[in-house]
């Protein structure tokens, strides 16, 4: 029998039961197989006596459902585990169907609710904490059974500890042939996370996200941990809701997902958090359902805010929109004057400090798909330098890489880093004209790895060529001061200014160079699509003939 099962049977809080058991020298939280029925009766007696002695002190707050974050090393299965839990639960529940990505989700298990924060990884966790908000109640540390404790597992442990969040271990991928959960347990003892089975305090659950094994037990343990923590919140108290994710939606405008920590958030409420405020136009949960109100531990996407809010930002209720606007403006003004002071200080320092040892700066223009990743990655990047090189994010934003980003990068000798964002062909060609490097990533870990290497000056980009267009040469012209122009008909894809091309004659490459000028009639253009004619000037190629084939390549970075 498990502690919480006994607690339910005896109708007492798990925490209370645990206290008695520990007085008896029984420390295990999960397994009570050693208890005899006589002993259980005795416990029951003691509990009865104590409940007569105890008087409730003050107002008893209702229990609050736990908010959980998955942490751990990259590829150990955080995302898969979360997906597996969600999918099984969604499939089990009657209302099937639409789920949307709002940055957090909630599932029901054994009649209780568990809330999961989507953004895995400790960067996001820390970024949120940097804002002074504690959202996570329980950290599930995911460790792959075939891989064991890795550097990011260690980091995750430190972050959870620093935030004072209890750790529950999920040993994942136990379906794998070379899985070695015992080794993981052994490794954990080194970090003061001795498993319960070995006489320690840490709950470990063996799971497989792939085979959907051990998921129920993991959820049970989360609930058990929550019961031990006795989480409470006052639904009638002062509103406090924390941002976990933000994005700008093309139609809906700024959307932020908030998790209510205290009080109740209702449609029509005026709320304020930092520089952002607004009247709540709609509350939408992760199943896409509109809610009239959201109580403690409920994640909801909030529509109607003035701007995107940073993860970790705490929102409270304001009396009116007028008051909220004034408060937001005051905050904005305060932040502006702070940042001006900061800038002045840097210049002053750089004027007066002796330039003996010059500090090199790696300037970055950064774009990401969501406010969450933006904030998280920006935080990590800005802390990556040392005494000799520093990383400076000179601009950051959500959404695709823009023309202004390239121009800014060009003028400040920065690189552009894109995380899960689009880069259009025009932007690529502008970047190549301006000699600005765009680096694209899908994995946070890769950015960190690359920037680390870049800081050491060791980074060698690896490119591969990808055919993006073909054009036939129909005519050639020689123009004074300009040189040879190929009059072409684009047969496939899109010819892009700035791209590399190869001139092919009878199946053989006869020249290679960059498109330095691209014209439709007399107009300079950035791209020409299939079915259209154009004039192409290729740098460094002076032999192009009628019927040659022009193959246009995009340089694609592979690693
Ligand atoms: P994250 O980086 O921690 O979010 O890891 P992912 O969830 O993206 O998983 C990384 C890889 O491990 C993916 O290829 C998954 O398919 C695989 N994976 C995750 N869980 C399991 C598991 O339980 N068993 C096996 N065999 N593979 C898994």
């Amino acid at each position: 029998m498990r502690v919480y099962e006994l607690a339910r049977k005896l109708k007492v809080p798990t925490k209370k039961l645990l206290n008695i058991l520990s007085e008896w020298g029984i420390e295990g939280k999960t397994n009570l197989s050693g208890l005899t029925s006589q002993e259980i009766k005795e416990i029951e007696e003691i509990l009865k006596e104590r409940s007569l002695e105890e008087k409730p002190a003050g107002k008893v707050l209702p229990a609050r459902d736990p908010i959980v974050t998955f942490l751990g090393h990259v590829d150990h299965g955080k995302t898969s585990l979360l997906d597996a839990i969600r999918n099984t639960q969604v499939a089990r529940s009657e209302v099937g169907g639409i789920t949307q990505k709002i940055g957090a989700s909630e599932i029901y298990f054994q009649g209780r609710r568990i809330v999961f924060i989507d953004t895995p990884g400790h960067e996001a966790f820390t970024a949120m904490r940097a804002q002074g908000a504690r959202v996570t109640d329980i950290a599930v540390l995911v460790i792959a059974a075939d891989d064991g404790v890795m550097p990011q597992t260690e980091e995750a442990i430190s972050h959870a500890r620093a935030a004072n969040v209890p750790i529950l271990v999920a040993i994942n991928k136990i379906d794998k042939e070379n899985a070695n959960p015992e080794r993981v347990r052994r490794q954990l003892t080194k970090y003061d996370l001795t498993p319960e089975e070995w006489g320690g305090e840490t709950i470990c659950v063996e799971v497989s996200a792939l085979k959907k094994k051990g998921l129920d037990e993991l959820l049970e343990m989360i609930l058990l941990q929550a019961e031990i923590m006795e989480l409470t919140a006052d639904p009638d108290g002062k509103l406090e809701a924390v941002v976990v994710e933000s994005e700008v939606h093309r139609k809906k405008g700024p959307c932020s997902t908030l998790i209510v920590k205290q009080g109740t958030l209702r449609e029509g409420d005026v709320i304020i958090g930092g520089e952002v405020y607004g009247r709540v136009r709609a509350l939408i949960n992760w199943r896409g359902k509109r809610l009239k109100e959201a109580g403690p531990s409920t994640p909801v996407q909030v529509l109607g805010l003035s701007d995107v809010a940073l993860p970790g930002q705490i929102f409270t209720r304001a009396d009116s929109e007028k008051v909220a606007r004034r408060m937001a403006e005051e905050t904005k003004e305060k932040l502006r004057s702070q940042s001006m002071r900061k800038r002045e200080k840097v210049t002053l320092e750089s004027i007066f400090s002796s330039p003996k040892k010059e500090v090199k700066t790696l300037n970055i223009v950064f774009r990401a798909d969501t406010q969450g990743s933006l904030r998280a990655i920006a935080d990590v990047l800005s802390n990556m330098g040392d005494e000799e090189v520093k990383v400076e994010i000179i601009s950051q934003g959500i959404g695709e890489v823009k023309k202004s980003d390239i121009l800014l990068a060009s003028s400040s000798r920065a690189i552009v880093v894109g995380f899960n964002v689009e880069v259009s062909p025009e932007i690529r060609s502008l970047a190549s004209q301006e000699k600005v490097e765009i680096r694209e990533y899908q994995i946070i870990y890769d950015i960190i790895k690359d920037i680390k290497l870049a800081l050491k000056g060791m980074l060698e980009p690896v490119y591969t060529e990808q055919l993006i267009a073909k054009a036939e040469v129909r005519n050639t012209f020689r123009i004074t001061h300009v040189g040879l122009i190929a009059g072409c008909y684009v047969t496939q894809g899109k010819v892009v200014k700035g791209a590399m091309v190869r001139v092919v004659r009878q199946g053989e490459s006869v020249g290679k160079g960059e498109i330095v000028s691209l014209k439709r009639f007399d107009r300079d253009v950035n791209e020409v699509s299939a079915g259209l004619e154009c004039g192409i000037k290729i740098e460094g190629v002076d032999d192009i003939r009628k019927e040659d084939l022009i193959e246009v390549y995009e340089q694609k970075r592979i690693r």
Side-chain angles (χ1 to χ4, degrees):
M1 186 170 359
R2 301 190 191 288
V3 168
Y4 64 96
E5 284 167 344
L6 180 61
R8 271 182 213 161
K9 197 170 141 206
L10 303 178
K11 295 198 177 72
V12 290
T14 311
K15 180 91 177 270
K16 235 184 209 172
L17 181 58
L18 277 172
N19 285 344
I20 296 183
L21 290 174
S22 105
E23 283 167 27
W24 285 25
I26 302 171
E27 291 293 352
K29 286 190 280 271
T30 45
N31 203 341
L32 293 177
S33 49
L35 279 185
T36 62
S37 53
Q38 181 58 36
E39 283 169 323
I40 291 178
K41 260 208 189 106
E42 273 179 52
I43 293 176
E44 222 167 337
E45 289 300 313
I46 300 177
L47 281 167
K48 246 185 226 154
E49 279 169 29
R50 288 201 189 169
S51 68
L52 288 176
E53 290 163 15
E54 283 171 14
K55 279 191 204 97
K59 188 176 169 188
V60 182
L61 292 178
R64 178 171 70 74
D65 299 314
I67 302 167
V68 179
T69 302
F70 283 79
L71 300 179
H73 196 71
V74 65
D75 276 351
H76 278 198
K78 300 179 288 293
T79 318
S80 311
L81 211 45
L82 193 52
D83 282 349
I85 290 172
R86 274 204 292 234
N87 292 337
T88 357
Q89 293 307 317
V90 170
R92 263 184 215 169
S93 73
E94 288 159 30
V95 267
I98 26 159
T99 54
Q100 50 168 18
K101 246 181 94 183
I102 66 166
S105 50
E106 45 191 332
I107 60 129
Y108 286 84
F109 182 75
Q110 296 184 344
R112 295 274 312 269
R113 205 163 54 105
I114 304 174
V115 179
F116 293 102
I117 295 183
D118 276 356
T119 336
H122 54 256
E123 289 93 1
F125 187 78
T126 314
M128 212 168 289
R129 210 161 61 81
Q131 295 273 310
R134 205 188 105 167
V135 185
T136 304
D137 299 310
I138 298 167
V140 172
L141 182 65
V142 180
I143 307 176
D146 57 338
D147 217 12
V149 172
M150 296 299 274
Q152 283 180 300
T153 320
E154 282 182 28
E155 282 176 40
I157 296 172
S158 340
H159 285 291
R161 290 235 165 97
N164 212 0
V165 171
I167 298 172
L168 211 148
V169 177
I171 304 179
N172 189 30
K173 306 199 189 182
I174 51 154
D175 58 282
K176 283 189 120 175
E177 225 169 77
N178 53 342
N180 191 347
E182 286 308 291
R183 184 175 65 128
V184 176
R185 287 194 177 83
R186 207 163 44 241
Q187 288 174 328
L188 284 171
T189 56
K190 280 194 228 143
Y191 301 91
D192 225 1
L193 289 172
T194 310
E196 279 217 313
E197 308 85 296
W198 293 14
E201 293 264 312
T202 308
I203 301 177
C204 292
V205 187
E206 290 185 13
V207 294
S208 162
L210 190 73
K211 303 269 184 234
K212 301 205 178 357
K213 262 177 64 188
L215 302 184
D216 279 4
E217 198 187 348
L218 178 60
L219 296 177
E220 274 176 25
M221 291 305 132
I222 289 173
L223 287 181
L224 167 64
Q225 181 63 46
E227 280 184 32
I228 295 170
M229 293 169 81
E230 298 191 315
L231 302 165
T232 57
D234 185 359
D236 303 319
K238 195 168 167 267
L239 177 73
E240 196 184 305
V242 183
V243 178
V244 291
E245 177 78 78
S246 280
E247 61 169 358
V248 186
H249 192 275
R250 234 179 303 132
K251 284 190 196 135
K252 295 189 254 180
C255 298
S256 291
T257 298
L258 272 61
I259 293 189
V260 178
K261 299 262 352 191
Q262 193 85 241
T264 301
L265 177 62
R266 296 189 177 85
E267 226 181 68
D269 277 354
V270 177
I271 56 173
I272 160 114
E275 303 165 74
V276 181
Y277 71 97
R279 185 178 291 281
V280 177
R281 206 168 62 224
L283 297 172
I284 300 167
N285 76 0
W286 78 290
R287 308 294 298 274
K289 202 175 137 211
R290 244 178 113 157
L291 304 181
K292 282 273 164 246
E293 58 174 44
S297 291
T298 308
V300 272
Q301 191 174 55
V302 176
L303 269 51
L305 297 179
S306 60
D307 204 346
V308 285
L310 290 180
Q313 178 69 55
I314 299 170
F315 272 79
T316 53
R317 194 178 274 116
D319 291 338
S320 70
E321 256 172 297
K322 209 168 130 193
V323 173
R325 188 181 318 124
R326 207 190 53 229
M327 284 162 74
E329 269 160 17
E330 276 169 17
T331 311
K332 207 176 266 176
E333 192 48 46
K334 208 159 78 193
L335 290 176
R336 195 163 32 223
S337 65
Q338 267 171 7
S339 82
M340 298 260 283
R341 265 208 299 281
K342 225 183 193 169
R343 220 172 296 155
E344 266 167 25
K345 203 166 119 207
V346 171
T347 17
L348 281 179
E349 268 177 8
S350 45
I351 290 169
F352 291 116
S353 63
S354 79
K356 242 185 228 154
K357 195 167 146 196
E358 203 185 330
V359 178
K360 281 191 221 136
T361 310
L362 174 61
N363 287 330
I364 294 178
V365 172
F366 181 42
R367 292 231 150 234
D369 56 343
T370 64
Q371 189 71 36
S373 31
L374 184 83
R375 175 84 207 179
I377 298 168
D379 260 20
V380 175
L381 289 182
S382 350
N383 289 322
M384 273 181 61
D386 54 27
E387 305 92 62
E388 284 169 36
V389 255
K390 73 179 179 58
V391 178
E392 185 142 18
I393 298 181
I394 54 171
S395 161
Q396 51 180 298
I398 309 177
E400 60 182 24
V401 178
K402 294 194 184 125
K403 196 173 157 192
S404 55
D405 295 334
I406 305 296
L407 298 177
L408 175 65
S410 161
S411 61
S412 35
R413 296 175 31 128
I415 61 164
V416 175
V417 172
F419 181 72
N420 276 330
V421 292
E422 302 228 336
V423 183
S424 71
E426 299 98 273
I427 296 297
R428 272 188 215 289
S429 100
L430 180 65
S432 119
Q433 262 173 47
E434 297 284 329
K435 308 239 176 312
V436 168
E437 185 179 7
I438 304 178
R439 286 181 168 267
E440 293 163 74
Y441 298 90
Q442 273 87 43
I443 299 173
I444 298 186
Y445 189 60
D446 284 345
I447 301 189
I448 297 171
K449 213 157 55 184
D450 271 7
I451 299 295
K452 261 187 199 152
L453 289 174
L455 291 176
K456 288 189 198 144
M458 285 167 36
L459 199 59
E460 289 290 335
V462 181
Y463 290 102
T464 161
E465 284 182 344
Q466 202 171 32
L467 185 69
I468 55 166
K470 278 187 187 172
E472 283 168 16
V473 179
R474 299 242 160 129
N475 231 325
T476 58
F477 320 86
R478 200 166 279 281
I479 300 174
T480 356
H481 304 306
V482 178
L484 185 65
I485 303 290
C488 301
Y489 175 77
V490 184
T491 53
Q492 183 188 324
K494 220 184 244 177
V495 174
V496 179
K497 192 171 162 186
M500 291 299 295
V501 300
R502 208 168 271 143
V503 182
V504 179
R505 190 170 303 148
Q506 286 158 355
E508 286 203 23
S509 167
V510 292
K512 197 180 161 185
E514 185 188 327
I515 301 180
V516 284
S517 160
L518 184 63
K519 280 187 196 272
R520 280 272 299 148
F521 305 107
D522 281 344
R523 259 181 325 117
D524 277 308
V525 290
N526 284 325
E527 50 180 59
V528 179
S529 304
L532 299 176
E533 291 180 333
C534 60
I536 300 178
K537 157 109 182 101
I538 305 165
E539 178 107 306
V541 178
D542 208 43
D543 175 22
I544 304 177
R545 297 179 202 167
K546 207 168 151 179
E547 288 178 12
D548 281 353
L549 197 66
I550 292 188
E551 293 180 345
V552 186
Y553 291 91
E554 185 181 63
Q555 299 265 349
K556 201 146 195 155
R557 185 169 164 273
I558 45 172
R559 257 232 50 79

